[in-house]
């Protein structure tokens, strides 16, 4: 059995599916659009954003998650093991102190 990828020849078309993404902003060092990975949690998402700033407050942070009805559900009480899903918008809030 030969499982090697076939060669790409002149004139061939290659189709690449678009990656699922999530967004992270607020008190993170490198916010913006990030590529989502299956079984991802908040700790991994924060690592992709180069961590939080010294002014961040996870307790005040939240996720806006599409609810399939054209709106968003707000998810609070975040923990590092909170699951992240495609199209989530993670908002890392600033501490009050």
């Amino acid at each position: 059995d030969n499982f090697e990828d076939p060669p790409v020849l002149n004139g061939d078309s290659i189709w690449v599916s678009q990656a699922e993404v999530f967004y992270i902003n607020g008190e993170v060092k490198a916010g913006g659009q990030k590529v989502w990975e299956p079984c991802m949690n908040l700790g991994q998402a924060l690592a992709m954003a180069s961590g939080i700033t010294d002014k961040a407050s996870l307790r005040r942070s939240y996720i806006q998650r599409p609810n399939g009805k054209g709106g968003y559900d707000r998810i609070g009480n975040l923990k590092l093991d909170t699951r992240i899903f495609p199209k989530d918008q993670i908002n890392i809030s600033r501490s009050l102190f």
Side-chain angles (χ1 to χ4, degrees):
D1 293 324
N2 186 356
F3 292 106
E4 291 183 28
D5 290 330
V8 177
L9 304 174
N10 190 23
D12 284 353
S13 295
I14 300 174
W15 298 95
V16 178
S17 62
Q18 185 173 355
E20 297 270 19
V21 297
F22 68 95
Y23 305 88
I24 186 165
N25 60 48
E27 293 298 322
V28 292
K29 295 177 183 172
Q33 179 177 295
K34 308 292 180 190
V35 175
W36 175 82
E37 296 175 9
C39 301
M40 175 174 262
N41 63 37
L42 179 60
Q44 293 165 320
L46 291 171
M48 292 178 96
S50 298
I52 59 176
T53 70
D54 59 351
K55 296 177 181 163
S57 168
L58 281 185
R59 197 172 79 205
R60 298 186 65 234
S61 299
Y62 60 94
I63 296 172
Q64 288 181 244
R65 180 169 291 154
N67 61 19
K69 302 174 192 168
Y72 292 87
D73 292 331
R74 184 176 170 136
I75 300 158
N77 195 25
L78 302 181
K79 309 282 186 230
L80 292 178
D81 63 353
T82 300
R83 289 281 305 270
I84 303 301
F85 293 94
K87 300 183 181 95
D88 275 359
Q89 296 176 19
I90 305 167
N91 300 285
I92 303 301
S93 298
R94 177 174 263 192
S95 174
L96 294 175
F97 303 101

